[in-house]
Amino acid sequence: MIDIDSDIIFSERQLQQITGGTLGNTLKYMRENVGMTEKDLAIQLHVTTATLSHYENDKRQPDLKFIKNFANILNKDISEILEDL
């Protein structure tokens, strides 16, 4: 659960629905949730920060290899990334 306001608590799934539930929003949320910068994650994924930004802002769609690597680096199951899309 994520405590957004002292009176309101959202589950991660509800938060995805609130933020639009796009793949880009999910990628950005997960990156920020583990405290990584775009630059740090981009280096680990072997992409530019511009590429990562395009994915997070839904300007481009990542391929499955990218999503698998992203999940691996953040210690997430790929289904957590794709479940609400």
Side-chain angles (χ1 to χ4, degrees):
M1 300 296 253
I2 299 165
D3 188 3
I4 302 291
D5 181 4
S6 60
D7 298 322
I8 304 170
I9 298 177
F10 296 99
S11 69
E12 288 189 36
R13 185 175 197 162
Q14 289 169 320
L15 188 59
Q16 283 183 338
Q17 291 171 342
I18 291 167
T19 61
T22 68
L23 178 57
N25 287 338
T26 300
L27 297 175
K28 184 174 183 177
Y29 169 77
M30 288 184 163
R31 174 184 58 77
E32 290 176 342
N33 197 41
V34 297
M36 292 187 79
T37 65
E38 277 188 357
K39 182 178 180 180
D40 292 337
L41 183 57
I43 290 169
Q44 289 190 42
L45 289 167
H46 305 288
V47 298
T48 66
T49 54
T51 296
L52 182 56
S53 178
H54 286 151
Y55 293 157
E56 289 186 351
N57 292 297
D58 296 305
K59 293 180 180 177
R60 292 179 52 195
Q61 292 297 310
D63 59 19
L64 188 55
K65 180 180 176 183
F66 174 90
I67 296 171
K68 286 180 181 179
N69 289 338
F70 179 93
N72 186 48
I73 290 168
L74 272 65
N75 294 318
K76 300 286 184 182
D77 189 276
I78 195 167
S79 65
E80 291 178 71
I81 299 170
L82 301 175
E83 73 181 333
D84 290 322
L85 302 179

